[in-house]
Amino acid sequence: MIEGLQYAVAWAFVKTLGILPRALARSLAAVGARVLLFLRPKLRKTAEFNLKLAFPEWAEAQRKTVMKKMTRNLGWMAAEFAQFPKYTKEDIESAVILDGHENFLAGQSRGKGVLYLTGHIGAWELSSFAHALYGFPLHYMARHLDNVPLDALVNQYRGLSGNKPIFKNASARQVLRVLKEAGTVGILADQNTMPEEGVWVDFFGTPACTTTGIARVALHTDAAVVPGYAYWDENLRKYRLRFEPPVQLIRTGDTERDILENTQRFAKVIEQIIREHPEQWVWIHARWKNRPEGEPPIYDFL
């Protein structure tokens, strides 16, 4: 019953935003995001804590401005997701333009597949969706939502432009197959990771447990690791789907050292993107929740 109610609310929300004009849908969703953050004080407190940890030199007013814009961007992304059925390859440029696409093509031209390194930055759902409409569909790493019908709805929308999921319980084999066929796999690499699945690397000056999956796969397959992210350009009033040059891998012959060093490189790439666009990262995520053995919790309010 609870699952059905959750699905009904989410379905109504998505469908309502989807039939509205895009500008109105974005405005309403931004208001909704502010209300949600007001009703979830732990999320707000997590964001405030994270901003102080990452930017201790900032004035409080600067952090508040970033919080306000981050909340707006979260609402905007929800609206963009709801608008997916309206987007086509003929009109996607009205919302998203490519920037640095030669970097993606350089990685693709190696013929070993591409690992699309990204994070919860800007309109992360729209980035891969738009890239598929531009003619470059990918497989994206995902986990099933607990709500089965909602999970189906989300992945239906994500797949409207040709993208396909790779679920965690069967990920390794499928990822290797896609890369062997010179395909692209999108991976969000900026979330807190369980210690048994990650390594501790520096992220904004504090150790953060980070997935080793990208480094392991890249070292094994020689796939190109190409950072990509869609950020809102206030001047253009559009999203820029920006691709950075492929990350050069470190290969010393020491497997565990190479995994650690390359994972650190990927984390620094993500950190630099966030530093350039701090208002567009999801600061409400408890990125530093897991701690090295013997260290006390950072988030004592969670």
Side-chain angles (χ1 to χ4, degrees):
M1 183 176 178
I2 294 176
E3 183 178 273
L5 181 60
Q6 291 172 336
Y7 173 73
V9 171
W11 183 92
F13 178 76
V14 170
K15 295 300 181 180
T16 299
L17 290 179
I19 63 176
L20 293 174
R22 179 172 176 246
L24 179 57
R26 281 160 57 92
S27 296
L28 288 177
V31 172
R34 288 199 296 272
V35 172
L36 178 63
L37 210 58
F38 175 78
L39 295 174
R40 299 288 299 276
K42 284 188 178 181
L43 292 181
R44 188 171 65 252
K45 193 168 183 179
T46 298
E48 293 168 350
F49 181 92
N50 286 342
L51 280 165
K52 287 181 181 178
L53 185 151
F55 298 104
E57 73 281 7
W58 280 8
E60 189 63 28
Q62 190 172 1
R63 295 193 194 102
K64 287 183 177 179
T65 297
V66 167
M67 280 276 291
K68 183 177 179 180
K69 290 185 176 181
M70 175 206 69
T71 305
R72 179 196 66 176
N73 286 335
L74 285 174
W76 282 359
M77 199 201 69
E80 298 293 357
F81 182 84
Q83 297 270 315
F84 278 3
K86 293 182 178 179
Y87 288 126
T88 67
K89 62 182 179 181
E90 288 77 25
D91 68 7
I92 189 60
E93 194 172 357
S94 66
V96 183
I97 63 168
L98 297 178
D99 184 7
H101 199 240
E102 67 277 5
N103 293 318
F104 175 83
L105 296 177
Q108 189 183 57
S109 70
R110 289 166 46 175
K112 300 293 184 66
V114 174
L115 290 167
Y116 183 151
L117 174 66
T118 192
H120 294 79
I121 300 162
W124 67 89
E125 292 280 5
L126 182 58
S127 64
S128 56
F129 188 88
H131 202 217
L133 288 180
Y134 272 108
F136 302 90
L138 54 68
H139 287 72
Y140 59 90
M141 299 293 294
R143 70 170 185 83
H144 286 293
L145 300 177
D146 294 334
N147 188 307
V148 176
L150 183 57
D151 182 68
L153 177 66
V154 168
N155 285 295
Q156 177 199 350
Y157 268 59
R158 286 172 172 168
L160 289 174
S161 62
N163 293 330
K164 298 179 181 179
I166 296 177
F167 293 108
K168 189 174 180 180
N169 58 353
S171 60
R173 188 183 305 108
Q174 289 189 44
V175 167
L176 294 176
R177 176 179 57 78
V178 171
L179 295 177
K180 186 176 181 180
E181 296 170 356
T184 301
V185 178
I187 303 177
L188 293 158
D190 60 342
Q191 288 194 311
N192 180 54
T193 303
M194 298 304 292
E196 61 269 20
E197 298 177 359
V199 290
W200 301 98
V201 298
D202 179 88
F203 191 62
F204 284 95
T206 300
C209 196
T210 304
T211 178
T212 60
I214 304 173
R216 292 181 187 278
V217 172
L219 289 166
H220 178 72
T221 64
D222 201 29
V225 180
V226 181
Y229 54 100
Y231 70 95
W232 179 251
D233 187 316
E234 292 281 4
N235 295 321
L236 279 179
R237 306 299 297 173
K238 294 181 181 182
Y239 290 99
R240 284 184 180 271
L241 178 47
R242 170 70 189 172
F243 291 95
E244 304 293 348
V247 181
Q248 295 299 313
L249 297 183
I250 296 172
R251 293 181 181 274
T252 67
D254 182 334
T255 301
E256 294 308 311
R257 177 186 172 188
D258 290 347
I259 289 170
L260 175 62
E261 293 294 332
N262 286 300
T263 301
Q264 179 67 81
R265 284 197 171 196
F266 304 151
K268 283 301 176 184
V269 168
I270 298 278
E271 179 181 325
Q272 183 57 38
I273 294 168
I274 296 168
R275 287 185 178 277
E276 292 173 4
H277 309 282
E279 75 286 354
Q280 303 201 35
W281 193 51
V282 183
W283 293 98
I284 58 175
H285 172 63
R287 178 64 181 93
W288 293 270
K289 185 174 183 179
N290 286 328
R291 307 307 312 138
E293 187 174 356
E295 281 197 14
I298 280 184
Y299 305 99
D300 56 8
F301 52 87
L302 293 180

